[in-house]
Amino acid sequence: MKSMVYEDIFEAIRVCTPNDPVLLMKDREGKGTLRRNLSFEAIQTENGELAIMPRTGLNVMFYRGQADASKRAIPTIYRDATCESIMVDRIKLIDFSMAVEKFPQVQYARKERIQVDTLALAQHYGLKTDMLDLTSDIAVAAFFATTYLDNGVFRPMQQGTGSISHFFAFPGMDTDLPFRVVGLQPFQRPGKQCAFGVKLEQREDLMSLNRGNTLYFSQNPKYGQMFLDLFGEKLPNELFPEEAVAKIGTRIRNGKLVTEKAVKAYCQDASVTEIEVRELLREQEIVISKKEAFVPSSKILGQERKKTINNPFGGEKIYQRLMFLPGGGNLDE
């Protein structure tokens, strides 16, 4: 690797943000506990919707961590991809976007004109997309930079080289940048991860945007374990709370089924013939269902409605700057 490799994740973080409290995990090891206190701010967008984003103050720095620095930072839909696999994944994205619209949380957000980013939701709930995750919380980036998932349990990387990228962006101002404010969506995972993102073309990666820098570090399982202790090893954990929508995302991604409605929508969007797409799906051993195969059960929807009727954002603190607060909160209205 041509670039300098820092001793560990904390020394790489020290270069990014020298005064970040996360450094105390190493510098004052055994003398205290780092606590995470999330809060969000509602910002009105140009189309009149409310985007609920993590409070970053004057910070315009965003981060991405990778446990294996040898891999390019490219969206999942383009990794080891073929034209056929990208087509299948895009159809599955449509199925997921239709499924989430059935949830009370999304219906509430639509009613109150709160931003819903279905692409970001798909990205965070297991679908392959053309979006690359970023976070405003360097501890979250460090978690992903120092751990890996093994049968439902996150474990610390034992060796190798990880990376942490820091990325400049000005939310709402960089109109020429494919930057997305994700933040607190109708479901919890994006908010817990202080999520932002960039939408990239197939030949692009994070560094091709020329907005930041990537630092490399040697993996140390001791320090990876510190981030596991902060967020939790076994799923569900602080960054991956248990949610019904996650099961639907996994089912769509891993399955060999798409719906006829999604196929028709894809053909219209991509300006291709349905006969051609059906033949390609058949070759990929993908079954087309005439029914809405991924609709949540009435029992699940009832449970979701009950959980969110008085608490549509999972108890997170939301602040506004002289803006009208959506009223009611009653999902049955």
Side-chain angles (χ1 to χ4, degrees), residues 1-6 9 11-17 60-66 69 73 132 134-135 138 141 162-169 205-217:
M1 192 164 293
K2 297 179 181 180
S3 301
M4 176 179 179
V5 179
Y6 290 90
I9 179 65
E11 298 314 308
I13 291 174
R14 206 181 302 277
V15 176
C16 294
T17 55
V60 291
M61 187 84 78
F62 302 91
Y63 310 96
R64 176 178 174 81
Q66 292 199 175
L132 199 65
L134 301 173
T135 177
I138 200 167
S163 68
I164 191 159
S165 301
H166 50 120
F167 180 92
F168 295 98
D205 61 18
L206 185 61
M207 288 301 101
S208 68
L209 299 177
N210 296 318
R211 288 299 185 102
N213 190 26
T214 296
L215 303 177
Y216 303 93
F217 63 91

Side-chain angles (χ1 to χ4, degrees), residues 229-249:
D229 294 341
L230 179 62
F231 293 114
E233 298 179 356
K234 188 176 180 180
L235 293 177
N237 64 7
E238 177 65 23
L239 300 181
F240 294 86
E242 186 172 7
E243 298 176 277
V245 67
K247 296 179 180 178
I248 289 179

Side-chain angles (χ1 to χ4, degrees), residues 77-124:
I77 201 169
Y78 301 134
R79 297 175 192 172
D80 301 319
T82 63
C83 293
E84 292 78 13
S85 71
I86 292 174
M87 177 195 70
V88 172
D89 287 329
R90 293 199 186 282
I91 295 173
K92 288 184 174 184
L93 285 174
I94 296 172
D95 267 324
F96 180 83
S97 67
M98 292 190 297
V100 297
E101 294 293 338
K102 304 292 184 180
F103 278 81
Q105 298 97 316
V106 174
Q107 294 172 0
Y108 170 84
R110 297 288 191 200
K111 178 182 176 182
E112 301 292 354
R113 292 190 59 75
I114 297 169
Q115 179 177 275
V116 179
D117 190 331
T118 53
L119 177 66
L121 288 176
Q123 169 74 4
H124 280 85

Side-chain angles (χ1 to χ4, degrees), residues 6 8 54-55 57 87 126-127 131 190 266:
Y6 290 90
D8 57 59
R55 300 184 87 187
M87 177 195 70
L127 278 294
M131 180 175 155
Y266 172 81

Side-chain angles (χ1 to χ4, degrees), residues 138-257:
I138 200 167
V140 173
F143 174 88
F144 288 111
T146 59
T147 67
Y148 67 99
L149 186 61
D150 178 25
N151 292 322
V153 178
F154 281 97
R155 304 188 189 280
M157 293 290 291
Q158 297 297 309
Q159 58 186 1
T161 302
S163 68
I164 191 159
S165 301
H166 50 120
F167 180 92
F168 295 98
F170 296 88
M173 298 175 63
D174 285 330
T175 55
D176 62 329
L177 185 70
F179 183 78
R180 300 175 81 95
V181 175
V182 179
L184 192 61
Q185 292 288 311
F187 305 104
Q188 295 184 52
R189 189 180 294 182
K192 295 290 187 183
Q193 296 181 13
C194 295
F196 293 80
V198 286
K199 189 172 183 289
L200 301 179
E201 299 296 330
Q202 188 164 2
R203 292 177 177 81
E204 292 180 319
D205 61 18
L206 185 61
M207 288 301 101
S208 68
L209 299 177
N210 296 318
R211 288 299 185 102
N213 190 26
T214 296
L215 303 177
Y216 303 93
F217 63 91
S218 296
Q219 295 286 5
N220 185 324
K222 173 184 175 181
Y223 295 137
Q225 187 62 49
M226 287 184 177
F227 290 101
L228 288 174
D229 294 341
L230 179 62
F231 293 114
E233 298 179 356
K234 188 176 180 180
L235 293 177
N237 64 7
E238 177 65 23
L239 300 181
F240 294 86
E242 186 172 7
E243 298 176 277
V245 67
K247 296 179 180 178
I248 289 179
T250 300
R251 182 183 169 198
I252 293 175
R253 172 171 174 166
N254 295 339
K256 286 285 190 177
L257 183 72

